[in-house]
Amino acid sequence: RWQRAYLPPLYGDGVAQVRTALRVPLSEDFSALHTEAIKLLGENMSMRMEDAITRIGRQVEDVFREAGLNALQEGTLLGDVRRDVTREMVRDLEERGITAFVDKAGREWSLSSYGEMVARTTSREAVNEGIVNEAAELGEDLVEVSSHADPCELCAPWEGAILSLSGTSSEYPSLQEAEADGLFHPNCIHSMSVYIPVSIRAP
């Protein structure tokens, strides 16, 4: 339900950013490419949660699922109520003595921090995916990475970098290379925008 409510508008923000930068009229309808991309983002989010659900489910005989269902039965889809549902589910689990779990990489997560990480990461991915796909559809190959104070060691080398979406540029590294090097890791706050060379920018 969270995916259906939030992923399309977040993805749409990315599309709108590209169209605004390129002065292309906005459209209310998504193409088949965009619709499929949103679907895949939702599937990826579900896969991220699967490890947590499986591990906790095995340890506590499905009380995680039960707590989630109990909370959702009393919740609705939009706005602050989503956070209320999350708090209710965490409270239910904590009352049963379940406060955290260890993922397959050996990292320990609290229930709330893991859920927030997944939501935050998927939100950023939705916007970026909208930018990547819309730029490609409009024939634009370059994007620019944002810059922030105190970047982590994974992102610092890529701050302000110009990246090629297709990976065919002889002048700029590819987006795939940057991501393989650690850019846009879970909880990363960096974003990107379509890059328009100064020589062709409108006055």
Side-chain angles (χ1 to χ4, degrees):
R1 293 183 180 184
W2 187 92
Q3 294 166 16
R4 289 196 298 270
Y6 291 97
L7 291 187
L10 286 166
Y11 185 97
D13 285 347
V15 171
Q17 286 182 37
V18 173
R19 286 181 166 261
T20 299
L22 299 175
R23 301 185 178 183
V24 174
L26 298 178
S27 172
E28 295 184 0
D29 298 323
F30 285 141
S31 69
L33 168 67
H34 295 315
T35 301
E36 183 64 19
I38 294 170
K39 177 183 176 183
L40 289 175
L41 283 163
E43 292 175 355
N44 288 341
M45 182 176 183
S46 296
M47 289 175 63
R48 282 198 180 100
M49 295 301 297
E50 184 177 351
D51 183 59
I53 293 171
T54 300
R55 287 170 179 271
I56 293 174
R58 287 173 180 169
Q59 293 170 12
V60 297
E61 298 179 353
D62 289 342
V63 294
F64 181 84
R65 297 177 183 82
E66 181 183 340
L69 289 172
N70 289 342
L72 285 171
Q73 284 173 355
E74 301 176 4
T76 58
L77 188 58
L78 302 174
D80 291 337
V81 178
R82 178 178 59 87
R83 288 188 287 274
D84 293 338
V85 170
T86 300
R87 283 194 295 268
E88 198 63 39
M89 184 179 69
V90 170
R91 186 182 302 114
D92 187 357
L93 290 168
E94 288 175 342
E95 287 176 355
R96 301 166 188 243
I98 303 163
T99 59
F101 76 102
V102 177
D103 68 16
K104 60 185 177 183
R107 296 167 296 195
E108 182 170 321
W109 296 87
S110 70
L111 299 174
S112 57
S113 65
Y114 188 80
E116 287 299 320
M117 180 277 290
V118 171
R120 186 181 301 112
T121 300
T122 304
S123 296
R124 186 254 304 147
E125 285 179 348
V127 175
N128 280 355
E129 196 71 9
I131 291 171
V132 168
N133 290 334
E134 186 66 7
E137 278 203 340
L138 295 175
E140 298 294 328
D141 186 51
L142 301 179
V143 293
E144 183 174 5
V145 180
S146 63
S147 296
H148 302 283
D150 301 320
C152 73
E153 60 182 16
L154 291 175
C155 297
W158 297 101
E159 285 219 318
I162 309 302
L163 304 174
S164 167
L165 299 179
S166 66
T168 59
S169 172
S170 60
E171 185 176 357
Y172 300 106
S174 69
L175 173 61
Q176 292 79 7
E177 179 183 344
E179 290 178 329
D181 198 42
L183 182 65
F184 300 136
H185 56 81
N187 271 334
C188 179
I189 63 173
H190 286 84
S191 60
M192 60 184 170
S193 57
V194 66
Y195 176 72
I196 305 172
V198 175
S199 60
I200 62 172
R201 291 179 187 176

